[in-house]
Structures are given as C-alpha cells and as structure tokens.
C-alpha cells in the first residue's frame, strides 16, 4: 500500500522506507537501472518551459572516442591521411549559436557563418559551404506524417528510430562526387562515438552504429538526403550539424537550436524491441490521447476519462527532463527496459524529487486533491517549469502520468486496474488477516492489506534480458509502495512470469504476483496466545483486472493474461510455485477443511447522501441443521485497505435447516456514516461466524462504496479549428449540506489547455450550470474532460468533440502557454433539483 497501515493516509514525504525483499532475482550481469551511483542526481534547478540546449563542450578538448584523430579520420577511413595541421577543428566560434544563422523550412542566408579547418571563420573559394538545412519538420511534412509524429504540437523534427527520414541541404555551389559530407548528431554533455551519443554519418556510406545517409536528389545548390537510424538508437533530443570537406578546406555548419531532432522508440519498426504487430493496438496504446481509468470495487466499478495529452506542447520536453533528473546515462536510453524502470521510479517523488508527491491523508490543502486531476498535462508542465514535485497523486494519477510519458516516448502502454489488489509486506505471498478469540479484527497486527482497487501500467516490449517466452506485456508501477533494490520503483515485470508464479524473474515479480493471485488467510488467536488458520479465501485477490478496450470506450477484462482460471490446476500450481519461494512455504499445514455453510455479502447500490443496507446470506449445504453465531463490524476504509475505527456492529444467531438459506440485514443511515467518510466514500464490512455443530469458522471482508454524481457536459455549437466554441457544465450537489470552495478543472488535448475554474459554494441539493468557451487547435475526434474537487471526490464528466479543420485547409494552430488558474466563473443558473 502507499502508506503504513497504522496511518490512514500518510504522504510520501514522511513515510518510512519499507524495503521489499529481492528474493530470487536474476539481476546478475545487469546493474539496476533504477539508480546510478556513479553520479549524483541533477540539482533541482528551475528549468524553462522549453529548456535551452545543453552547452556544447570545447571541441578541442573533449573525447570523441578517438583522441588525437581528426574528425574525418574518425568519420571516414579514406580521409585518415590528412595533414597533421588539419587534425583539430579548433573551438567553435562564439557566434555559432546565433539563432538567426539559418532559416528552417526555406533557403537560408547564403552568407553561411560556418567554420573552416583553421577555425577562423574564413570561407575560401572552392569550399562546400552549407548555407542552411530544411529538416522537413512541420506537422504536414512527409517526415512527421510517416513517423506518426504529426500530432505533436512541436515545430522541431520528431522521428522514430529504425525508420528513414528526409532532409534538404542548401549549398553554396552544386554538389560534386568528390565532396565529402557528414551529418553529425550529439546528445548529452560529453558526447562520445563509442557510447552512441556522438553520431557521425558520412553521406553515401554507413557507420558502425547502423546509421546511413544517402543522396536522393542533387539539383543545383540543393541536396536531398535520406537518413536511416538504427532500431537500437538512443532516444532523446539531439543537436544536429553538418560538416563538409573539399580540397579547398573543411566547413562546419553552426549548430542552430531550431535544427534539433527528437528521436523516439518505434513500435512500427519490426527491428525495434518495442515493435507491436497490431495497427489497432498502436493506434490505441501509442497514439490515443485520452483513455478510461477504472476505480471503485469489483461490484461497483466507476470510471473516469483521463487526458493523457502526450502530444501537447511541452510534454515531450517534460518526459526527457524526467530522465535527466534521474541522472540516467544517455548511452542507456536506447533500452526500453531501462527507460521504463526509470520512469516507474521518477513519476513518484520518493528518493529522487520525482514528478508527483503521494498523499493519502485526506488533507490536500497544500496542493491538489488527487481526485481533481483530469489529465497528465498540467502535472508534467508544472514539473518541467518549476523543477519541483507536484502535490498530490494517488495510484490512478501515478498510472495516468506514466501512460503519458511512455506513450510520448514511443512505448505502447495502457492503464490497468486490479480490483481487490493485495499488498504483501512480508514476502509470504499470502494476505494474512488476524482476529482475536471472538473474530474481531486485530488491526495492529494486520500489516498486509487489500486495496479496493490499484492502478498500474502495462507496456509492450521484448525482454532480451530474460529467457525466451517473457516478451509482450510488462507491468510498470509508479505508485510508491515498497522499495526495489533500494528505491521506490516497480517493474518492468513480465506478465507471463506473474501468470505462472515464476517469482524469481526480475523485476519485482513476487510483489506483483501477490497483488493479483495470493490467497487471503484468516488467523484466529487461540486461548494460549498462538494463532491458527481458520479460513482461507482462494478467490479473493485479483478478482478482476481491466483496461480500456482498443478503439472503444468499453471496459476490457484482461484477468486471463495475468492468471489462469481461478481454482484450475494451472492456477493452483502457480500459487504453489510462488508460495514455495515465499517466507511462509508451510502456511497451509494447520488449515481445517470443514466448510458446509457458505456465506455471501451484498451491499445496496447507493448515492452519497442516501441511506443504504448491507446483507449477509447464509446457505446450509449440509443434510443437518446448522446454528451460526454471526458478528458484523462496519468501518470506513481508504481505497488502499487502511481502515478507520468500527462505527457500527451487530451480532445475531441464525438457525439454518438442512439445505436452506437465510439473510441478516444491517441498515446504515447517512447520518451514521457521514461523520466517518474518507476519500472514495468506501466502507468495509468484516463478517465472522462460528458454526456450533461443526466448528466451522466463517470469515469475509466486503468493501462497498457510495457513488458520487457525474458532471453533465453539453456542447453548444459546432467545433472548428481556430474558432471559439462553448460547452455547458451542469452539476447537482446530492448532499443536504453546502459544498464550499468548489473548483472545477477543464481540459482536453487539442481543445483546451488545463484550466482551473473557481466556482465557489454550492448549497445543499442545489444545481448549478456554467458555460465555458475554448478554441480547438487540432482537428479530429477529441475528448473534453471536467472534474470537481470539493468535499466530494471522483466527480467528473466527459464529452466527445468532433473538431472540423479550419477553412482554407489549415489543420493545426500553435498551442503554447501554460494552464490558467484562479478564474472565478459566474453561474448561469442555480436552483433546487
């Protein structure tokens, strides 16, 4: 769970470091990529919304994988016989970073401004001067469309590795076959050829790293090139320059920040280990900017729309900034296993001042209530802009942000909800629940817990670091629960290893297996103070695992990929396999087996503010009479399984004839549960019983929740790129009390940057209606999402907006800027419902 059981919602900032055992890990031969001890974390310097390029080191002093050899000697073997006087390019002139030295998208200033071999900036006759570059980087150009990056709200070139892209060089004279041209890409503070962070690509030749550049057309003073990157290339933002060599001398095009190139993972490339062989999956898990996140309980599933916004302006820079803050070596950023593990560590703030501060206390006065977020964009842009961790998050927020980051970087990723998700604190791979002699819960001993739901991520990749058979979906969980190799991260863990109980597979398989397929073991204290197993629930954990369906707003059940059918031989074998590696391999030795009375718990579906009832149904499956003494204990609970004190209890004796059933009903009035409610509005019913005739012990924990109302959104008019559009939002307060300081949030990728609306107070049972305008910046089907964050939680609404292109065929508008805040919204109407 996210906080110690003794504290009903402690935040990340103050919680203790609970180390998870790394038993059975096969990490040998591979360092833990969650932490690099060789260098400290980067300082929390405040970055700009669009970070300036890293300073380029002194060209005359840095290592390039071949100290003492000239550029052309390292780049091209045929050029290794140059004069020693030409071995050093010298220092780049101070004016080489002038943003005005070249023009993107058209022919630049013909004066050039590059450097020659002597480093004095003199352009001699006969030199091949590159006067400018067109990277064909606009969203409507061939590169962006072919690389599926045209939705990014960026003007820079964004490409995916393992796939060719095109560019145009503008020259001072026509290109000749004797001319030597090399493209150069660099990333990081100390680029090195050997680490793949300094890439030299001779035009017409390949290089040892798999990069290639070929001339596709030479016309006058224009040269068209086709560049191919390897499927294992480092991802990130590269500086790009061009060098030429002729008999008259050598030339280097000055670096221009406008010519930076972003390189991403490529799930469309069969050679990339993140390749996905389903186009509909790529559309859903890489390109879809909104999704559904499920919460609640298995019997009362709620859903909320989440704006991932991976293509919004600034988000890509925020994702790369996360890797920088972790101090991840640039040379390792081509490995999706390493990258996803770093993201799982960095999306939470523990250890490393990562993106989100977790808080389950119920007090969010110093930040944002986790239930109020409707997307990842505002969170990531705030982290990029300030460098400070954003308050606050809980599991679905961590998972939503992780989906955004991994999709943005090119990994097929989905958000997954596991209902009745266990948190094993002692690596026993069982959920141990302790009761006293009267079967009243002993909360001070119950360190393990069962979350009503827990949200994490699946991402798709091959696992070359594991034996064959463990490719495909991998679990990545950014919610801080336990440490892994000393830091708060989890995964990537092969779902196939979880399904089969192979808990010795890295990373963190024991913990994830316990979350989805451990048994719930009930222990009763005996007269001598010892504890005895009185009941084992084999089907209580991981009862339903769901995600949003592909190209649909429906819910998809994916329980079968995580576990074999409950009770099947294969499922029991997986449990036995896992338990054999746990801390209590003989846990079932003292188990009693007499179980002829069955028990089922049901709760009435109710809205917040209403009275409700819970009932316990007992069925006698024997051929004799059975007398059952039943105890019911009702308490409130956080969705993480952390419970409050018992506020209502009931005791009753039930006599069951052979083969008969009977019910015990407990009414719960709103005035009884209102003072005790916590986030998510959930309650926990502990039921225990004893069968007089057989000695059978009955035990059951049932969680249920009271629902919150939805926001109603209505579009008022057609939506067109660049034209103002209006939406109406309606909300009814279901409670008889006033909700104070109500805040709505509104956002939607391509529609509306994150916007905060201060609504004020809403009276008991009052309905409010407000209208908001927005200007769409991208065409196509979009989702506009709103949420409410007063005393109620999980109040949200969504509407589909089909945006038409602007007149004249203009498909996109620039969408810069940050979120709005503090806007007070007048109501168009108020009234009793």
């Amino acid at each position: 769970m996210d906080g110690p059981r003794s504290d009903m919602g402690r935040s990340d900032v103050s919680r203790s470091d609970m180390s998870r055992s790394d038993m059975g890990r096969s990490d040998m031969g591979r360092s833990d990529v969650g932490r690099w001890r060789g260098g400290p974390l980067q300082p929390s310097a405040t970055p700009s919304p669009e970070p300036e390029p890293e300073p380029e080191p002194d060209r005359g002093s840095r290592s390039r994988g071949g100290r003492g050899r000239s550029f052309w000697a390292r780049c091209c073997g045929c050029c290794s016989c140059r004069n020693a006087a030409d071995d050093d390019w010298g220092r780049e002139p101070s004016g080489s970073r002038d943003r005005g030295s070249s023009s993107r998208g058209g022919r630049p200033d013909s004066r050039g401004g590059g450097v020659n071999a002597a480093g004095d900036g003199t352009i001699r006759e006969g030199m091949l001067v590159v006067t400018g570059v067109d990277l064909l980087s606009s969203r409507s150009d061939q590169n962006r469309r072919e690389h599926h990056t045209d939705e990014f709200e960026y003007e820079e070139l964004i490409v995916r590795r393992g796939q060719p892209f095109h560019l145009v060089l503008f020259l001072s004279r026509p290109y000749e076959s004797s001319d030597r041209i090399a493209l150069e890409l660099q990333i990081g503070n100390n680029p090195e050829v050997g680490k793949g962070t300094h890439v030299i690509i001779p035009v017409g030749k390949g290089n040892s790293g798999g990069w290639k550049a070929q001339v596709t057309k030479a016309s006058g003073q224009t040269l068209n090139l086709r560049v191919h990157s390897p499927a294992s290339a480092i991802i990130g933002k590269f500086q790009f320059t061009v060098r030429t060599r002729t008999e008259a001398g050598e030339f280097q095009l000055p670096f221009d920040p406008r010519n930076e190139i972003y390189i991403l993972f490529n799930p469309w490339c069969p050679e990339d280990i993140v390749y996905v062989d389903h186009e509909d999956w790529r559309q859903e898990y890489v390109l879809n900017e909104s999704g559904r996140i499920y919460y609640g309980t298995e019997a009362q599933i709620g859903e909320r729309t989440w704006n991932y916004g991976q293509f919004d302006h600034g988000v890509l820079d925020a994702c790369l900034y996360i890797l920088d803050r972790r101090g991840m070596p640039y040379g390792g950023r081509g490995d999706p296993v390493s990258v996803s593990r770093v993201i799982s560590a960095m999306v939470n703030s523990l250890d490393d001042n990562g993106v989100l501060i977790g808080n389950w206390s119920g007090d969010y006065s110093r930040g944002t209530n986790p239930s109020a977020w409707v997307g990842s964009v505002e969170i990531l842009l705030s982290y990029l802009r300030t460098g400070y961790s954003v308050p606050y998050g809980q599991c679905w927020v961590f998972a939503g942000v992780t989906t955004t980051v991994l999709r943005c970087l090119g990994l097929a990723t989905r958000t997954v909800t596991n209902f009745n998700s266990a948190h094993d604190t002692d690596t026993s791979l069982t959920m141990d629940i302790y009761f006293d002699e009267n079967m009243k819960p002993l909360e001070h001993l119950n360190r393990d817990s069962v979350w009503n739901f827990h949200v994490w991520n699946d991402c798709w990749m091959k696992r070359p670091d594991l034996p064959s058979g463990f490719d495909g979906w991998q679990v990545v969980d950014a919610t801080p629960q336990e440490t892994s190799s000393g830091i708060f991260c989890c995964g990537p863990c092969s779902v196939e290893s979880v399904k089969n109980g192979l808990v010795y597979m890295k990373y963190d398989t024991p913990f994830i297996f316990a979350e989805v397929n451990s048994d719930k073991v009930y222990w009763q204290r005996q007269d001598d103070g010892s504890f005895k197993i009185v009941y084992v629930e084999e089907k209580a954990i991981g009862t339903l695992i769901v995600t949003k369906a592909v190209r649909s707003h429906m819910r998809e059940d994916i329980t079968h990929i995580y576990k074999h059918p409950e009770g099947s031989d294969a499922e029991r074998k997986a449990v036995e396999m896992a338990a054999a590696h746990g801390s209590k391999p003989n846990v079932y030795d003292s188990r009693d087996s007499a179980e002829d009375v069955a028990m089922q718990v049901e709760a009435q579906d109710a809205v917040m503010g209403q009275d409700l009832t819970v009932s316990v149904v007992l069925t006698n499956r024997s051929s004799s009479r059975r007398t059952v003494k039943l105890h019911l204990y009702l308490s409130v609970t956080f969705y993480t399984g952390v419970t409050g004190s018992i506020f209502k209890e009931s005791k009753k004796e039930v006599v069951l004839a052979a083969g008969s059933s009977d019910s015990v009903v407990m009414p719960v009035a709103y005035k009884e549960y209102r003072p005790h409610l916590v986030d998510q509005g959930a309650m926990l019913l502990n039921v225990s019983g004893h069968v007089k005739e057989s000695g059978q012990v009955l035990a059951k924990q049932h969680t249920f929740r009271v629902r919150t109302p939805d926001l109603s959104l209505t579009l008022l008019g057609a939506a067109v790129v660049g034209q103002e559009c209006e939406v109406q939002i309606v909300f009814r307060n279901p409670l008889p009390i006033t909700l104070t300081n109500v805040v709505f949030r509104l956002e939607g990728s391509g529609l509306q940057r994150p916007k905060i609306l201060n609504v004020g107070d809403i009276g008991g049972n009052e309905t409010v209606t407000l209208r908001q305008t927005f200007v769409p910046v991208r065409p196509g089907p979009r989702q506009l999402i709103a949420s409410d964050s007063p005393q109620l939680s999980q109040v949200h609404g969504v509407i589909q907006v089909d945006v038409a292109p602007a007149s004249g065929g203009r498909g996109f508008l620039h969408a810069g800027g940050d979120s709005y805040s503090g806007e007070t919204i007048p109501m168009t109407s108020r009234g009793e419902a």
Side-chain angles (χ1 to χ4, degrees):
M1 69 181 181
D2 302 348
R5 275 198 68 91
S6 59
D7 189 333
M8 286 186 63
R10 207 162 159 186
S11 75
D12 282 357
V13 179
S14 59
R15 56 169 293 196
S16 60
D17 186 312
M18 303 177 291
S19 294
R20 182 192 312 155
S21 168
D22 291 333
M23 63 172 185
R25 294 182 185 276
S26 54
D27 291 355
M28 292 177 291
R30 181 189 182 92
S31 63
D32 185 351
V33 298
R35 167 173 292 171
W36 288 273
R37 300 185 185 275
L41 292 176
Q42 295 188 7
S44 301
T46 302
S48 62
E50 294 184 62
E52 291 297 317
E54 298 170 354
E56 188 171 4
D58 186 342
R59 293 180 178 272
S61 60
R62 73 178 175 212
S63 168
R64 293 193 171 190
R67 188 178 298 275
R69 299 174 63 208
S70 74
F71 172 87
W72 289 100
R74 295 190 300 273
C75 167
C76 177
C78 67
C79 301
S80 60
C81 58
R82 294 181 53 234
N83 288 330
D86 294 335
D87 279 351
D88 194 346
W89 283 82
R91 182 169 301 188
E92 181 179 310
S94 59
S96 65
R97 287 182 174 272
D98 182 2
R99 289 179 181 265
S101 63
S102 69
S103 172
R104 301 177 67 255
R107 190 176 183 87
D109 186 345
S110 62
R111 292 175 294 178
V115 294
N116 61 10
D120 60 9
T122 303
I123 305 300
R124 292 190 291 272
E125 186 177 355
M127 289 177 60
L128 183 61
V129 176
V130 180
T131 59
V133 177
D134 185 358
L135 295 178
L136 306 176
S137 61
S138 74
R139 286 183 258 177
S140 59
D141 275 334
Q142 176 184 8
N143 285 333
R144 297 282 294 273
R145 287 185 286 105
E146 291 182 349
H147 285 253
H148 307 279
T149 61
D150 52 310
E151 287 289 337
F152 279 97
E153 294 175 356
Y154 280 72
E155 294 306 317
E156 291 80 7
L157 179 60
I158 304 173
V159 296
R160 301 187 187 276
R161 66 185 191 178
Q163 183 175 337
F165 61 93
H166 302 265
L167 59 89
V168 180
L169 301 182
F170 299 101
L171 308 175
S172 59
R173 60 169 174 77
Y175 172 70
E176 299 174 0
S177 59
S178 60
D179 294 329
R180 297 285 184 265
I181 299 178
L183 311 180
E184 188 175 359
L185 293 97
Q186 301 179 40
I187 189 171
N189 291 321
N190 188 28
E192 297 183 36
V193 172
K195 293 182 177 180
T197 53
H198 181 193
V199 180
I200 303 170
I201 318 167
V203 173
K205 301 174 181 284
N207 73 1
S208 59
W211 288 84
K212 293 184 294 185
Q214 298 161 326
V215 176
T216 58
K217 181 181 179 182
S219 176
Q221 294 172 237
T222 301
L223 191 67
N224 293 63
L225 301 179
R226 184 174 185 262
V227 183
H228 197 291
S229 63
S232 58
I234 292 169
I235 66 159
K237 182 166 64 174
F238 287 78
Q239 298 176 359
F240 174 80
T241 59
V242 185
R243 296 181 183 244
T244 70
R245 177 174 181 255
T246 65
E247 292 183 358
E250 297 170 348
F251 169 87
Q252 178 195 358
L253 179 72
F255 167 72
D256 186 336
R258 293 173 295 180
N259 286 337
E260 288 175 320
I261 300 175
Y262 293 86
I263 298 177
L264 308 177
F265 292 115
N266 193 352
W268 281 266
C269 174
E271 288 75 37
D272 196 325
I273 64 173
V274 306
Y275 174 64
V276 177
D277 190 22
H278 305 282
E279 178 58 26
D280 56 344
W281 282 25
R282 294 190 290 251
Q283 292 292 324
E284 179 67 45
Y285 300 135
V286 182
L287 300 183
N288 192 357
E289 296 176 81
S290 66
R292 295 287 195 273
I293 298 179
Y294 302 97
Y295 64 95
T297 67
E298 178 192 4
Q300 297 169 303
I301 297 175
E303 66 177 55
R304 61 180 305 151
T305 301
W306 191 264
N307 180 41
Y308 297 123
Q310 67 266 33
F311 303 132
D312 275 30
H313 184 71
V315 169
L316 177 54
D317 287 311
C319 297
L320 297 177
Y321 174 65
I322 290 171
L323 302 181
D324 294 340
R325 280 293 294 269
R326 178 68 253 180
M328 184 181 189
Y330 286 92
R333 299 189 188 188
D335 177 15
V337 175
S338 301
V339 169
S340 61
R341 186 156 173 81
V342 170
I343 295 305
S344 81
M346 282 298 298
V347 167
N348 69 76
S349 67
L350 292 176
D351 310 307
D352 43 35
N353 297 317
V355 178
L356 274 163
I357 300 171
N359 186 348
W360 290 262
S361 69
D363 178 7
Y364 311 116
S365 57
R366 296 188 177 184
T368 299
N369 185 329
S371 296
W373 299 116
V374 294
S376 309
V377 175
E378 184 178 354
I379 295 168
L380 288 168
L381 293 185
S382 175
Y383 186 64
L384 174 66
R385 182 175 63 250
T386 68
Y388 292 106
S389 303
V390 179
Y392 295 107
Q394 292 180 6
C395 71
W396 68 91
V397 187
F398 289 113
V401 171
T402 299
T403 296
T404 297
V405 174
L406 295 180
R407 285 187 184 181
C408 184
L409 297 178
L411 285 170
T413 306
R414 61 190 183 186
T415 308
V416 173
T417 301
N418 177 38
F419 289 99
N420 294 311
S421 185
H423 178 191
D424 178 21
T425 61
D426 59 3
T427 68
S428 65
L429 301 179
T430 57
M431 289 300 102
D432 300 303
I433 305 169
Y434 295 91
F435 298 84
D436 66 11
E437 294 83 351
N438 297 315
M439 288 301 288
K440 186 174 182 178
L442 295 170
E443 290 298 341
H444 67 285
L445 295 180
N446 293 334
R447 299 298 180 185
D448 292 346
S449 62
V450 180
W451 299 30
N452 303 346
F453 67 95
H454 180 44
V455 188
W456 62 65
N457 301 92
D458 284 346
C459 59
W460 184 273
M461 68 181 75
K462 292 181 180 178
R463 290 299 299 270
D465 57 323
L466 297 180
S468 177
F470 297 96
D471 299 338
W473 289 117
Q474 314 290 322
V475 177
V476 174
D477 190 351
T479 299
Q481 298 180 83
E482 303 283 345
T483 58
S484 172
S485 299
I487 61 174
F488 283 94
C489 64
C490 184
C493 168
S494 166
V495 171
E496 190 66 22
S497 67
V498 173
K499 183 173 185 176
N500 292 291
L502 305 178
V503 295
Y504 46 83
M505 290 290 180
K506 64 179 182 182
Y507 291 99
D508 311 310
T509 311
F511 187 78
I512 297 167
F513 178 87
E515 287 184 300
V516 303
N517 206 15
S518 54
D519 287 341
K520 209 171 187 179
V521 180
Y522 295 80
W523 301 78
Q524 184 181 27
R525 187 168 62 195
Q526 306 299 297
D527 293 337
D528 61 1
S530 64
F531 284 88
K532 175 185 177 182
I533 295 178
V534 293
Y535 184 62
V536 175
E537 256 188 300
E538 296 180 350
K539 301 178 181 180
I541 303 301
T543 50
L544 179 65
I545 305 173
V546 298
T547 189
K548 176 187 174 298
V550 173
R551 292 198 168 187
S552 166
H553 296 312
M554 302 297 290
R555 186 173 66 241
E556 180 182 357
D557 184 346
I558 58 171
T559 312
H560 63 282
I561 77 165
Y562 274 88
K563 55 202 296 188
H564 297 285
E566 285 282 7
S568 66
D569 291 343
E571 187 266 343
R572 286 290 94 191
K573 182 179 179 181
V575 172
E576 293 169 8
M577 169 74 76
H581 292 82
S583 60
K584 299 176 182 176
N586 303 315
V587 68
Y588 300 128
D589 290 352
S590 63
R591 177 181 174 183
D592 291 332
S593 59
E595 297 178 359
D596 54 16
V597 174
M599 180 170 64
Q600 183 176 350
V601 182
E602 299 172 350
Q604 175 188 358
D605 188 28
V607 175
M608 185 80 72
Q610 294 180 343
D611 298 342
L612 55 90
T613 58
V614 292
S615 59
V616 179
V617 180
L618 299 171
T619 301
N620 180 7
R621 297 182 297 195
S622 74
S623 57
S624 304
R625 188 182 74 169
R626 292 288 184 259
T627 305
V628 182
K629 290 186 177 181
L630 205 62
H631 291 189
L632 284 71
Y633 302 97
L634 186 62
S635 58
V636 298
T637 178
F638 284 86
Y639 81 95
T640 57
V642 179
T643 58
S645 58
I646 295 168
F647 69 86
K648 186 168 186 174
E649 59 183 280
S650 176
K651 299 180 181 180
K652 190 170 184 179
E653 183 172 288
V654 181
V655 178
L656 299 171
S660 69
S661 297
D662 199 359
S663 297
V664 174
V665 177
M666 174 188 280
V668 185
Y670 170 64
K671 66 180 180 180
E672 290 181 293
Y673 69 76
R674 173 191 163 188
H676 307 281
L677 277 182
V678 295
D679 279 355
Q680 310 290 330
M683 285 173 269
L684 175 68
L685 181 67
N686 272 291
V687 185
S688 61
H690 180 267
V691 181
K692 179 179 178 181
E693 292 81 4
S694 65
Q696 176 187 351
V697 174
L698 300 170
K700 183 80 172 179
Q701 291 184 314
H702 182 77
T703 304
F704 60 96
R705 70 183 183 95
V706 285
R707 292 186 291 104
T708 50
D710 292 330
L711 293 174
S712 173
L713 276 68
T714 304
L715 192 65
L716 305 176
V720 180
V721 169
Q723 297 183 19
E724 191 173 84
C725 188
E726 191 173 31
V727 63
Q728 177 176 277
I729 305 172
V730 179
F731 170 72
R732 178 185 180 273
N733 176 8
L735 303 181
I737 61 174
T738 297
L739 301 177
T740 58
N741 300 318
V742 176
V743 173
F744 287 177
R745 272 180 157 78
L746 185 70
E747 72 177 79
S749 286
L751 298 174
Q752 170 67 60
R753 301 286 274 183
K755 191 171 189 177
I756 298 173
L757 314 175
N758 296 316
V759 178
D761 296 346
I762 302 177
N765 298 312
E766 183 182 8
T767 297
V768 297
T769 302
L770 60 92
R771 292 184 178 184
Q772 275 296 294
T773 59
F774 61 94
V775 179
V777 296
R778 284 186 278 148
R782 305 282 165 193
Q783 301 274 313
L784 186 65
I785 310 163
S787 77
D788 172 19
S789 60
Q791 289 87 339
L792 292 174
S793 64
Q794 299 288 19
V795 175
H796 38 77
V798 62
I799 189 172
Q800 174 92 11
V801 180
D802 295 312
V803 182
S807 59
R810 186 173 58 171
F812 303 96
L813 290 181
H814 176 68
D818 296 314
S819 59
Y820 299 94
S821 63
E823 182 174 350
T824 301
I825 305 302
M827 300 299 164
T828 58
S829 65
R830 287 180 180 265
E832 298 283 329

